[in-house]
Amino acid sequence: MLHKLLSGFCLASLAAGPLLSQQNNTFGTDFAVSSEDLPSTRGEYSPFVGQNFPNRVFWGDSHLHTSYSWDAGLVGGRLDPGDAYRFARGEEVTGSFGVRAQLVRPLDWLVVADHAESLGVAQMIERADPRLLATDVGRATYDLWKAGDAYGAFAEWGSNVIVGGDDPLNDPEIARTVWEEITAYAEQFNDPGAFTAFIGYEWTSAPGGNNLHRVIVYRNDASKADQLLPYGGTDSSDPEDLWTWMETYEAKTGGNLLAIPHNGNLSNGVMFAVETMSGEPIDADYAERRSRHEPLYEVTQMKGDGEAHPLLSPDDEFADYGTWDRGNWNGEAKSPEMLQTEYARSALKLGLQLEQKLGVNPFKFGMVGATDSHTGLSTTREDNYFGKVPFMEPSDDRFEAQIVPDPNDEGVGTYEFETLASGLQGVWARENSRTALFDAMQRKETYATTGSRITVRVFAGWDFEADEVLSANFAETGYARGVPMGGDMRAYSEGAAPRLMIRALRDPDGANLDRIQVVKGWLDAVGELQEFVIDVACSDVREIVDGRCDRPVGDTVDVPNATYTNNIGEALLMGYWEDPDFDPAERAFYYVRVLEIPTPRWTTYDAAFYGVDLPEGVPAVQQDRAYTSPIWYTPD
């Protein structure tokens, strides 16, 4: 045995180079091995040589605001993009109101997405920039700010600039100064292989108070991003004009952009409307441009979860998660018929219908989560929630104020305690770099979670076998004979049906898993849109009966102490499912939803920490979840 061990060591060393010889052999034996003594054909022993499919999940936030956003900096926000990047990389940062914060684990990447409109106004006020003070609204806002009336300054700027449209920062000279500061921060903190700092901003359009906001993400560096100033909602409120600007940028710079819409639930039916802003029906050109420029949708964030709605999916008992559906930014009440063009699942179904009519699917998007935090702190854990805006950072009185206004006291307002700790984005890629992560987002190989770092992977194919989900080379098989999340199933095999292989692994710092579900949407033979949700894996040896786990997973939450235990659920779940009702003539999509066991909501943690009462109207317990990007089937 000793001889075998020594021989193995020597051969390994020789293969790396002439480390041993007759003269310096540390074992004291005179010998030499020439290349002629080695096997003439060794082959590629390592199974990973040449492997090029995505093999890691990289966690990040594609929608974070800092003090450079007017609705953060003018309400007490003090953290700049540098602070945001440092925090995301795992460093301890002190929040705007003096509370220290740190992540349980660093993020892998971050998009600082400050509003293009009034970008950097708080910085200009702090610096007493003479170009700003030369304007009436700039001087009035500055005077209020210096007098200590931050809310007055916020209101002055908001009413005259954001609502009134008179923005002195539209001056290209001022705008360029601030934009180049933003891009310089991203360049400073971008560290390929370790941490990716994307350049980005938010286009903030809300015609009539209906939310049409998009986050713009740049694939490239400042040398390209600085060539054109950001396009804002003050330039146009029409997404088609934004796409034209994106096309101009790409043609001029050779760079690449993508836009990510969010909060359709605050759009009063406009986000996924089947008409353009001019009232004309969507045509093929519109559909192609939207699909190309907007490959993703931010399905979950602090201002509500947008995957599904209980009125649209009455048979889905998990559809009512963090639902915000009272009105828009102007406080105009929502009517039920608006819901279908606000939520992701119903929009994905509408896309199938439009594709059959137009030949292009305008709503063929992947799913991502993000925070939309305006604190500069990308926190998504329920026990580490630093709020939506600076005055919502942890305190014993942060339950009371409204986030969405109710100017006429009609019951359409939404309160701070109703915000979610959501969300995060997982990206499947091979390396942590702008190009690799952006390209993965472009191909939709990405998914959303409501805050936890659940690892989930799904492949769809025609000939997978049930035991292959257990295989050590599960991913290699999935890529070789199927498509991953975000992909398209083609080359239909006669008599076959889509077969899905799914794996889900719990957040190592979080809760066990309850179940894996498949959500299917399709356009049936008579042109009607259909959906169903089916459980395909249940924890704790539960059986699946009529498409559902035979009983709830249970609940270990101690509400008064805001604790739970992982003695229910599973750390790893695997599922295999073949569509029993597949019709090759019908367009369809499939995506996966993974649920954790119940855990305390952030308000429950606050109540226990500060010794205050739980607010009425929100649950004490919630179940974090993941939503994968869909896989589409289109008939040939």
Side-chain angles (χ1 to χ4, degrees):
M1 176 63 73
L2 179 61
H3 172 73
K4 290 182 179 179
L5 289 173
L6 297 183
S7 298
F9 178 86
C10 294
L11 287 172
S13 300
L14 285 165
L19 299 180
L20 298 179
S21 68
Q22 288 180 316
Q23 288 74 33
N24 62 9
N25 181 1
T26 54
F27 295 105
T29 302
D30 257 352
F31 71 91
V33 179
S34 72
S35 59
E36 290 145 359
D37 297 320
L38 296 173
S40 58
T41 304
R42 299 182 64 84
E44 296 291 2
Y45 177 81
S46 172
F48 311 112
V49 171
Q51 187 183 90
N52 60 6
F53 58 77
N55 60 350
R56 290 181 59 189
V57 174
F58 295 97
W59 291 104
D61 182 358
S62 58
H63 187 180
L64 181 72
H65 295 269
T66 74
S67 59
Y68 276 70
S69 286
W70 76 276
D71 54 355
L74 290 183
V75 291
R78 291 291 176 268
L79 302 189
D80 62 27
D83 299 315
Y85 289 129
R86 280 190 285 270
F87 181 76
R89 294 195 313 183
E91 297 180 31
E92 179 187 300
V93 172
T94 300
S96 297
F97 289 91
V99 180
R100 295 188 301 168
Q102 192 166 16
L103 294 173
V104 64
R105 278 177 291 139
L107 295 178
D108 299 304
W109 57 270
L110 178 67
V111 182
V112 170
D114 285 308
H115 296 288
E117 305 76 21
S118 298
L119 184 65
V121 61
Q123 283 67 32
M124 308 295 279
I125 288 173
E126 287 281 2
R127 300 166 190 169
D129 190 287
R131 297 168 296 182
L132 180 64
L133 301 189
T135 67
D136 291 341
V137 67
R139 170 58 70 175
T141 304
Y142 174 83
D143 290 344
L144 289 164
W145 180 267
K146 285 300 181 182
D149 185 2
Y151 184 79
F154 172 77
E156 174 73 19
W157 189 267
S159 61
N160 288 283
V161 175
I162 304 303
V163 177
D166 179 22
D167 190 349
L169 299 190
N170 277 341
D171 180 343
E173 181 184 346
I174 301 176
R176 179 162 299 283
T177 299
V178 178
W179 177 240
E180 290 181 357
E181 290 177 16
I182 294 282
T183 61
Y185 275 119
E187 295 300 271
Q188 177 186 348
F189 286 93
N190 190 53
D191 185 7
F195 179 81
T196 295
F198 280 104
I199 296 170
Y201 74 90
E202 180 171 350
W203 176 77
T204 317
S205 168
N210 298 324
N211 188 92
L212 291 178
H213 301 186
R214 268 84 166 163
V215 169
I216 311 302
V217 182
Y218 291 69
R219 185 178 189 265
N220 311 105
D221 61 18
S223 67
K224 286 184 168 61
D226 287 348
Q227 292 183 40
L228 260 70
L229 292 174
Y231 191 79
T234 51
D235 296 306
S236 173
S237 61
D238 191 331
E240 292 188 78
D241 293 333
L242 173 66
W243 305 335
T244 297
W245 175 85
M246 293 171 68
E247 291 160 2
T248 299
Y249 170 88
E250 292 179 341
K252 177 177 180 176
T253 69
N256 301 102
L257 302 170
L258 61 82
I260 309 175
H262 62 88
N263 282 120
N265 60 317
L266 292 171
S267 73
N268 275 9
V270 177
M271 180 61 77
F272 298 111
V274 296
E275 300 87 21
T276 67
M277 294 281 288
S278 62
E280 296 296 320
I282 288 175
D283 61 16
D285 179 67
Y286 176 102
E288 188 279 327
R289 295 178 78 206
R290 180 161 185 160
S291 179
R292 173 160 45 96
H293 294 304
E294 300 185 359
L296 304 174
Y297 179 63
E298 187 179 304
V299 73
T300 185
Q301 59 128 271
M302 292 187 179
K303 300 193 302 295
D305 189 89
E307 182 237 353
H309 191 282
L311 293 181
L312 299 173
S313 302
D315 297 327
D316 180 0
E317 65 271 37
F318 295 103
D320 193 11
Y321 180 82
T323 306
W324 287 27
D325 62 359
R326 300 188 187 114
N328 68 4
W329 287 118
N330 285 354
E332 296 175 1
K334 191 181 305 299
S335 55
E337 65 270 13
M338 296 175 179
L339 298 174
Q340 185 182 26
T341 49
E342 292 193 341
Y343 283 82
R345 190 186 300 173
S346 56
L348 288 166
K349 291 193 296 181
L350 284 171
L352 301 178
Q353 203 168 51
L354 289 165
E355 183 180 42
Q356 186 173 64
K357 177 183 177 182
L358 303 173
V360 186
N361 185 345
F363 306 141
K364 194 172 184 178
F365 52 78
M367 309 244 232
V368 303
T371 64
D372 195 9
S373 171
H374 286 57
T375 63
L377 301 170
S378 183
T379 60
T380 64
R381 287 174 59 95
E382 304 291 329
D383 59 358
N384 193 36
Y385 180 57
F386 271 69
K388 160 76 176 161
V389 287
F391 54 76
M392 268 191 71
E393 290 184 14
S395 68
D396 60 3
D397 62 351
R398 66 168 169 166
F399 290 166
E400 301 307 317
Q402 289 182 344
I403 293 294
V404 177
D406 186 7
N408 300 315
D409 197 26
E410 296 178 343
V412 299
T414 306
Y415 289 82
E416 290 173 4
F417 62 76
E418 296 178 273
T419 60
L420 282 67
S422 201
L424 272 179
Q425 181 180 350
V427 179
W428 282 102
R430 285 198 71 84
E431 64 180 25
N432 189 358
S433 67
R434 285 173 176 164
T435 54
L437 299 179
F438 184 99
D439 292 349
M441 293 184 205
Q442 192 77 60
R443 66 176 182 265
K444 309 180 188 74
E445 199 165 356
T446 181
Y447 64 100
T449 83
T450 56
S452 293
R453 303 190 192 190
I454 305 167
T455 300
V456 58
R457 200 159 210 179
V458 56
F459 295 97
W462 299 111
D463 62 353
F464 294 146
E465 299 296 335
D467 60 355
E468 288 183 298
V469 75
L470 306 174
S471 171
N473 61 347
F474 160 79
E476 184 176 4
T477 300
Y479 283 107
R481 305 208 323 270
V483 295
M485 64 181 77
D488 289 277
M489 294 193 71
R490 300 283 185 177
Y492 166 66
S493 300
E494 186 68 32
R499 300 177 181 184
L500 274 61
M501 299 193 301
I502 309 153
R503 283 188 181 178
L505 182 67
R506 56 161 274 190
D507 182 332
D509 300 302
N512 275 345
L513 304 180
D514 168 9
R515 68 187 72 196
I516 296 174
Q517 301 180 306
V518 171
V519 179
K520 178 186 178 182
W522 74 100
L523 182 66
D524 69 18
V526 297
E528 297 293 325
L529 294 169
Q530 308 288 348
E531 70 171 67
F532 69 68
V533 180
I534 186 168
D535 293 350
V536 299
C538 306
S539 63
D540 299 336
V541 202
R542 291 176 289 164
E543 298 294 327
I544 297 175
V545 179
D546 295 328
R548 289 290 189 275
C549 301
D550 60 11
R551 63 187 186 279
V553 69
D555 187 345
T556 67
V557 176
D558 177 344
V559 172
N561 294 304
T563 60
Y564 71 96
T565 59
N566 271 325
N567 59 348
I568 61 172
E570 304 286 351
L572 171 67
L573 288 177
M574 294 181 277
Y576 172 88
W577 178 77
E578 180 175 350
D579 186 352
D581 302 312
F582 175 69
D583 184 335
E586 297 175 347
R587 301 170 192 274
F589 64 80
Y590 306 85
Y591 68 87
V592 170
R593 183 170 65 185
V594 181
L595 281 82
E596 289 184 352
I597 65 171
T599 57
R601 194 177 187 272
W602 74 265
T603 41
T604 303
Y605 282 108
D606 266 30
F609 185 85
Y610 290 111
V612 298
D613 293 333
L614 279 168
E616 295 182 6
V618 296
V621 175
Q622 57 96 55
Q623 286 183 263
D624 273 313
R625 56 205 58 199
Y627 311 121
T628 72
S629 291
I631 295 170
W632 286 267
Y633 166 75
T634 305
D636 291 332

